């Protein structure tokens, strides 16, 4: 239990202590968020708010994990997945904020990076950790061997989770709060399944996100940017893959899944029929344009995430 407390204190403490110094530096460097014109009009007031605050989160998680968790192959791989996505997110933010190219990394470049991370994960996972090619189905409580299809499945989980958390990061505190809930759930899952090292990693993620809420809750003083959201999505994917609970991630990361599906549905509907299903996607904007305050959307989404996470634990 001491290792969990130590990880939580270091991760949250790092973010809380560095925030007051790091955020003004982002201001000085003019690393301000550029708000899309097609987004809600109320968000234009957020233009110029410092971004790339995810650097604090990921550094806090990494330091806490290295100090509090045993340096097992699983931990090294989990950190590799998270930090690999962190590099992708940092490059994306750097290009947008510093180079003033609004779209950041091209989709092909980002996908190539995620494929490389997934391939390394699968090689180490199967060769060194003995991860097989079965998929556990929670409701049926059975394993199905999907053979070589498992490698495509891992890539789908990794790309899906990282991009879904990235899409969720659209309101103050939404991504940091939902990730904290999902990571806390994975800390319990890891303990129940005998992965105490990964449980420390999950605890560090949750604590760092809670600490970040001090600066990211509405009205946000800093945004995590792709630097944080892609990395946190990668970290959640790592926990799902290394515990073989990829399917359970649909419940643990329910809000992330809804955010991603809303974008897919919106784009598919508009391209095929010329009509939009939602007022705006991702779905948190749909509720905003329906008259909900930003805080109400965030609170309701946090609550839904908590309920589905409890349901996921009950399935175990």
């Amino acid at each position: 239990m001491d290792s969990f407390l130590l990880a939580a204190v270091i991760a949250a403490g790092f973010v809380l202590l560095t925030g007051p110094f790091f955020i003004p530096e982002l201001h000085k460097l003019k690393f301000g968020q550029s708000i899309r014109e097609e987004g809600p009009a109320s968000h234009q007031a957020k233009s110029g708010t410092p971004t790339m605050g995810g650097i604090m989160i990921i550094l806090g998680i990494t330091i806490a994990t290295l100090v509090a968790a045993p340096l097992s192959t699983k931990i090294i791989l989990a950190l590799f997945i998270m930090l690999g996505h962190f590099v992708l997110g940092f490059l994306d933010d750097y290009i947008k904020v510093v180079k003033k190219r609004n779209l950041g990394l091209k989709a092909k470049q980002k996908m190539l990076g995620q494929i490389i991370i997934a391939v390394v994960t699968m090689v180490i996972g199967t060769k060194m950790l003995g991860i097989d090619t079965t998929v556990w189905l929670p409701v049926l409580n059975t394993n199905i061997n999907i053979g070589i299809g498992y490698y495509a499945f891992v890539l789908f989980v990794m790309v899906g989770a990282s991009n879904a958390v990235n899409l969720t990061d659209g309101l103050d505190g939404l991504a940091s709060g939902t990730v904290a809930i999902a990571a806390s759930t994975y800390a319990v899952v890891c303990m129940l399944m005998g992965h105490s090292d990964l449980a420390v990693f999950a605890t560090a993620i949750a604590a760092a996100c809670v600490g970040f809420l001090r600066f990211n809750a509405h009205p946000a003083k800093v945004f995590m940017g792709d630097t944080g959201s892609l990395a946190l999505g990668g970290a959640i994917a790592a926990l799902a893959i290394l515990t073989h609970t990829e399917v359970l991630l649909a419940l643990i990361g329910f809000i992330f899944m809804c955010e991603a599906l809303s974008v897919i549905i919106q784009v598919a509907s508009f391209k095929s029929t010329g009509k939009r299903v939602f007022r705006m996607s991702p779905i948190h904007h749909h509720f905003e344009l329906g008259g909900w305050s930003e805080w109400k959307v965030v609170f309701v989404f946090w609550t839904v995430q908590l309920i589905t996470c409890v349901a996921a634990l009950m399935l175990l």
Side-chain angles (χ1 to χ4, degrees):
M1 187 59 69
D2 289 345
S3 58
F4 298 107
L5 180 60
L6 180 62
V9 169
I10 292 175
F14 181 87
V15 175
L16 289 169
L17 291 174
T18 57
F21 302 97
F22 186 64
I23 295 171
E25 288 303 314
L26 291 175
H27 268 295
K28 290 178 184 177
L29 293 170
K30 296 183 179 180
F31 282 8
Q33 180 71 42
S34 207
I35 305 298
R36 293 180 306 143
E37 290 183 7
E38 59 269 28
S42 60
H43 285 218
Q44 293 305 315
K46 300 182 181 185
S47 184
T49 301
T51 188
M52 298 174 76
I55 293 172
M56 295 187 294
I57 301 174
I58 304 308
L59 282 177
I61 295 169
T62 303
I63 294 169
T65 302
L66 291 174
V67 171
L71 201 59
S72 63
T73 305
K74 281 182 291 185
I75 286 295
I76 294 172
L77 184 54
L79 287 174
F80 166 77
I81 295 170
M82 181 183 74
L83 293 174
H85 284 88
F86 168 76
V87 171
L88 287 178
F90 179 84
L91 290 174
D92 199 38
D93 279 336
Y94 183 83
I95 291 170
K96 285 187 287 190
V97 175
V98 180
K99 297 297 183 181
K100 306 300 180 185
R101 275 171 40 195
N102 215 20
L103 296 177
L105 284 176
K106 295 178 181 177
K108 289 181 180 179
Q109 295 172 323
K110 194 179 294 185
M111 179 61 74
L112 176 61
Q114 290 173 315
I115 289 174
I116 292 172
I117 296 168
V119 169
V120 173
T121 298
M122 288 181 283
V123 170
I124 295 176
T126 54
K127 300 297 183 183
M128 299 180 66
L129 294 176
I131 294 177
D132 57 32
T133 55
T134 61
V135 174
W136 176 59
L137 302 179
V139 178
L140 301 175
N141 195 25
T142 186
N143 291 299
I144 297 179
N145 195 324
I146 60 174
I148 197 170
Y150 181 73
Y151 301 112
F153 182 57
V154 166
L155 177 61
F156 170 77
V157 170
M158 197 171 290
V159 173
S162 58
N163 289 332
V165 173
N166 184 233
L167 289 170
T168 304
D169 185 33
L171 297 180
D172 297 353
L174 180 56
S176 43
T178 47
V179 169
I181 294 168
S184 298
T185 304
Y186 260 119
V188 177
V189 170
C190 290
M191 285 301 297
L192 291 173
M193 300 183 74
H195 300 288
S196 58
D197 47 357
L198 290 177
V200 174
F201 176 61
T203 300
I205 296 170
C209 287
V210 170
F212 189 67
L213 279 171
R214 166 68 179 79
F215 312 105
N216 186 234
H218 187 71
K221 298 180 180 68
V222 66
F223 300 135
M224 66 172 68
D226 290 0
T227 303
S229 59
L230 281 178
L232 290 172
I236 295 296
L239 289 167
I241 293 164
L242 295 175
T243 57
H244 244 335
T245 56
E246 300 94 344
V247 176
L248 199 63
L249 182 57
L251 275 178
I252 296 176
F254 183 75
I255 290 297
F256 312 139
M257 182 178 68
C258 289
E259 296 276 13
L261 284 175
S262 70
V263 173
I264 294 170
I265 292 169
Q266 186 86 322
V267 171
S269 175
F270 189 74
K271 284 189 174 181
S272 60
T273 68
K275 296 180 180 179
R276 293 179 171 86
V277 176
F278 306 102
R279 299 181 186 95
M280 186 178 289
S281 65
I283 198 169
H284 53 257
H285 291 321
H286 171 80
F287 290 101
E288 264 195 299
L289 294 182
W292 287 22
S293 68
E294 184 167 349
W295 171 244
K296 181 178 179 180
V297 177
V298 171
F299 182 76
V300 170
F301 278 37
W302 282 358
T303 303
V304 172
Q305 182 89 323
L306 182 60
I307 292 170
T308 57
C309 281
V310 170
L313 291 176
M314 291 173 67
L315 284 177
L316 282 176

